[in-house]
Amino acid sequence: MQPIHELETPSVLIDLDRMERNIAAMQTRCDDAGVKFRPHIKTHKIPQIAKMQLEAGAVGIACQKVSEAQVFAEAGIHDLMIPYNVVGAAKTRKLADLAYYTRLIASLDSEHTLKGYSAAAQNMEIVLRVVIELATEMQRAGASVSDALRLAEIIDQDDHLHFGGLLIYPSMPAARPVLQEALDGLHRRGIGVDIVSGGGIGASHHLKDVPELTEIRVGTYVFNDWTTVDNGYATLDECAMTVRSTVVSAPTYNRVILDCGSKTLSSEVHNGAYGFIMEYPQARIYKLNEEHAYVDISACDEKRPEIGEIVQVVPVHTCVVTNLHDTLYGVRGDQVESTFAVAARGKVW
Amino acid sequence: MQPIHELETPSVLIDLDRMERNIAAMQTRCDDAGVKFRPHIKTHKIPQIAKMQLEAGAVGIACQKVSEAQVFAEAGIHDLMIPYNVVGAAKTRKLADLAYYTRLIASLDSEHTLKGYSAAAQNMEIVLRVVIELATEMQRAGASVSDALRLAEIIDQDDHLHFGGLLIYPSMPAARPVLQEALDGLHRRGIGVDIVSGGGIGASHHLKDVPELTEIRVGTYVFNDWTTVDNGYATLDECAMTVRSTVVSAPTYNRVILDCGSKTLSSEVHNGAYGFIMEYPQARIYKLNEEHAYVDISACDEKRPEIGEIVQVVPVHTCVVTNLHDTLYGVRGDQVESTFAVAARGKVW
């Protein structure tokens, strides 16, 4: 145990009480809705935290990339979903290798990806479980319903693939008609559906409005951030991640500079702010350089941040902050209780 | 040696021919202007590359944080400048420790920072060389001229500090009046000036317009990026860094998805673009999620990117890309010639 005040700045702190409450609350929310919970580990990239989520009742985890999944599989977590098109022979070989010794669910939205999975599964002499990603109003990846039904028929005929069901992101109520149309089409074709996997912290508040879902993937809830708070999906008291930072310059009466720049907080911005300072709610972080945060303190009352003072910043987007750091410090009270190595940091393959 | 095509995607490639030309050209630019060159290593964070810069004629390096400087000092580079306020007793102790066995120049813009340096230097029984950062039109950190002159007098009287001169960023011609006023004030007080250190890739094109400068710090030039190209400070042929990426989805006729998201390219955006695709100049990366790049290909001619295809993306801001990756791959022709460990990645203290 080490007192927090001995940590250098900037350091990323995780309030363990808050994180534990967040883990319990999301599991309860899913249990109440009768939906299985599969936390997305992109937010923390730390096997110990994934194990806490599983301990609380999660059925498995979601990883966005194969190299991320490898880290968690090596840590002993063996129910994995990769809700991402894995493309390229070297990568599908690694995917099939993972599927050989874990319970893995891959996903796809095209025949190109399907063929890659089939070849890799055949080569590894396994049957790979795959789900089809449906397009949503987000307009990212995902197949149309007609393409999805065509792909499901191909999968159904493929000896090395097992059709596992459907995947959508985000699974907001607006996505329900598409989901219903796809499920109806699959039913008419006599193709069974094991899983309907939704995702998103917003969607987790609407689980009962999308009864087709069998499970849901959410990442951010474990720490929360300024965006989830400002969107009404969490309160400030539920923000477990803060960045401990020092005021290093006060060049004018209305501006101070913190030592947390874009290499610490990332460059993500939400409604003009790059982070929220817990001690100075009226202050606004209006710009970042790599190691400088520019803070407008003109709206602060008499008490204003001074050079040398240490403040705690709630980041705009917790997942990309984790990815910038080697270590997150789990704190309780005024002590550092856990030093979490960010084991899957930088795993973009 | 490994062929490039065996690298997974996304991977960050450094074209060694281009990097070597960039290193030589900037040194020549500085030599021609009679200004010493001190590369800022924040762009690459790799000691081997810093040594190439020194080999080409640089007088030393600049590091933004103490923990970064430690990595380079341990690699044998002993002329270091930290153009950043180092605040807090633990950190100034590390700074003084570094100054004990290297030729280090610290910087400050306030009496608070000055006192911290003086105490740490006294404790280490050294004389610490410090420069004063002047405020510029950038409105970041930096002292006003009158504050700078007051600080210089205090430094001049301090047995443990040596007044080394002035620091500005960026050192564009617009900053010249402030520089002249400060130099004049120092002259009137009989305080000698060893160094006038400027900075910025834009400023490197105007060295002869700011003859007060004795040296300049530039980082980005070593790799360049889409922002330096779009600002007219480099050509596409001078971009040494590209991110090798795969098309993983083509959900509509006018949209494809690449596997390089904000955890690979950072979230930095320049004029609405998150990167420039070398093979498809008409395409536009208009949005990123953590592992997805959304590409609008509606302006592309007949040839359009297809699923499985590999492309090279010039990032918007090279310095923050380096900071996301453990390894940069130095390539020449179709071979990987060097595997650079990003030794100072994540060093934000």
Side-chain angles (χ1 to χ4, degrees), chain A residues 9-290:
Chain A
T9 70
S11 285
V12 183
L13 309 188
I14 303 300
D15 184 306
L16 295 171
D17 288 333
R18 291 181 177 191
M19 179 180 77
E20 288 163 9
R21 282 198 295 270
N22 292 342
I23 290 173
M26 181 61 78
Q27 188 63 51
T28 300
R29 186 182 302 163
C30 293
D31 290 348
D32 286 351
V35 172
K36 289 175 184 161
F37 181 49
R38 180 180 293 279
H40 203 309
I41 58 70
K42 71 193 178 82
T43 307
H44 54 69
K45 291 185 173 248
I46 295 170
Q48 295 103 298
I49 296 179
K51 287 177 183 176
M52 294 180 205
Q53 293 170 311
L54 291 164
E55 190 76 20
V59 293
I61 62 170
C63 301
Q64 203 69 351
K65 294 289 185 102
V66 176
S67 56
E68 250 181 14
Q70 283 175 325
V71 170
F72 285 79
E74 282 161 18
I77 295 173
H78 287 163
D79 194 317
L80 310 164
M81 171 183 274
I82 302 179
Y84 196 86
N85 289 296
V86 177
V87 175
K91 221 173 267 173
T92 52
R93 195 158 53 235
K94 288 174 193 152
L95 180 80
D97 181 60
L98 256 184
Y100 189 84
Y101 72 98
T102 66
R103 183 172 162 77
L104 185 132
I105 308 164
S107 80
L108 60 87
D109 72 357
S110 74
E111 201 165 341
H112 183 100
T113 306
L114 188 160
K115 284 180 181 164
Y117 289 172
S118 178
Q122 182 167 10
N123 195 50
M124 193 64 70
E125 296 177 6
I126 58 168
V127 175
L128 183 66
R129 273 199 306 166
V130 296
V131 293
I132 296 174
E133 180 175 2
L134 287 174
T136 66
E137 75 280 13
M138 190 184 197
Q139 301 189 21
R140 188 165 72 177
S144 64
V145 171
S146 58
D147 282 348
L149 293 173
R150 189 176 52 77
L151 292 168
E153 287 176 339
I154 302 173
I155 294 167
D156 202 39
Q157 297 297 316
D158 191 306
D159 289 344
H160 296 282
L161 299 177
H162 170 71
F163 178 72
L166 299 172
L167 180 94
I168 54 168
Y169 181 84
S171 58
M172 294 296 270
R176 206 181 164 200
V178 163
L179 211 47
Q180 287 175 321
E181 190 188 341
L183 287 169
D184 187 51
L186 290 166
H187 181 68
R188 284 167 192 271
R189 283 162 181 78
I191 300 177
V193 174
D194 309 333
I195 294 171
V196 179
S197 175
I201 192 165
S204 76
H205 288 267
H206 299 281
L207 288 176
K208 291 176 185 170
D209 302 325
V210 191
E212 292 77 15
L213 298 176
T214 65
E215 61 176 64
I216 187 161
R217 314 173 311 279
V218 190
T220 315
Y221 84 100
V222 70
F223 296 153
N224 290 310
D225 53 31
W226 179 239
T227 307
T228 57
V229 169
D230 199 50
N231 286 342
Y233 296 136
T235 63
L236 261 183
D237 286 346
E238 292 166 341
C239 288
M241 176 187 278
T242 53
V243 178
R244 187 178 148 83
S245 307
T246 300
V247 179
V248 294
S249 184
T252 67
Y253 182 68
N254 285 327
R255 181 169 83 246
V256 295
I257 302 290
L258 301 179
D259 62 355
C260 53
S262 58
K263 284 179 172 171
T264 299
L265 293 176
S266 89
S267 317
E268 301 229 351
V269 59
H270 179 76
N271 287 344
Y274 291 84
F276 175 84
I277 306 175
M278 299 283 266
E279 295 83 354
Y280 297 96
Q282 284 103 350
R284 191 170 66 87
I285 303 179
Y286 64 94
K287 183 176 172 182
L288 299 180
N289 293 145
E290 288 158 60

Side-chain angles (χ1 to χ4, degrees), chain B residues 60-138:
Chain B
I61 62 170
C63 300
Q64 203 70 349
K65 294 288 185 103
V66 176
S67 56
E68 250 181 14
Q70 284 175 325
V71 171
F72 285 79
E74 283 161 17
I77 296 173
H78 287 162
D79 194 318
L80 309 165
M81 171 183 273
I82 302 180
Y84 195 85
N85 288 295
V86 177
V87 175
K91 220 173 269 172
T92 50
R93 196 159 50 235
K94 288 175 193 150
L95 180 80
D97 181 59
L98 256 184
Y100 189 84
Y101 72 97
T102 66
R103 184 172 162 78
L104 186 132
I105 308 163
S107 79
L108 60 87
D109 72 356
S110 74
E111 201 165 341
H112 183 102
T113 307
L114 189 161
K115 284 181 181 166
Y117 289 172
S118 178
Q122 181 167 11
N123 195 50
M124 191 66 68
E125 295 177 6
I126 58 169
V127 175
L128 184 65
R129 272 200 305 168
V130 296
V131 292
I132 296 174
E133 180 175 1
L134 287 174
T136 66
E137 75 280 12
M138 190 184 197

Side-chain angles (χ1 to χ4, degrees), chain B residues 218-326:
Chain B
V218 190
T220 315
Y221 85 98
V222 70
F223 297 153
N224 289 310
D225 53 32
W226 179 240
T227 307
T228 56
V229 170
D230 199 50
N231 286 341
Y233 296 135
T235 63
L236 261 183
D237 287 346
E238 292 166 340
C239 288
M241 177 187 277
T242 54
V243 178
R244 186 177 148 82
S245 307
T246 300
V247 179
V248 294
S249 185
T252 67
Y253 182 68
N254 283 327
R255 181 170 83 247
V256 295
I257 302 290
L258 302 179
D259 62 355
C260 53
S262 59
K263 285 179 173 171
T264 299
L265 293 176
S266 88
S267 316
E268 301 228 352
V269 59
H270 179 76
N271 286 343
Y274 290 84
F276 175 84
I277 305 176
M278 299 284 266
E279 295 82 354
Y280 297 98
Q282 284 103 350
R284 191 170 66 88
I285 303 179
Y286 64 94
K287 183 176 172 180
L288 299 180
N289 292 145
E290 288 158 59
E291 308 290 2
H292 296 78
Y294 299 56
V295 188
D296 175 359
I297 57 170
S298 59
C300 290
D301 304 328
E302 313 89 80
K303 180 157 162 46
R304 292 172 153 242
E306 290 174 5
I307 301 189
E309 189 174 335
I310 289 175
V311 296
Q312 295 202 69
V313 178
V314 176
V316 163
H317 186 188
T318 179
C319 310
V320 286
V321 175
T322 298
N323 191 51
L324 288 165
H325 298 271
D326 292 328

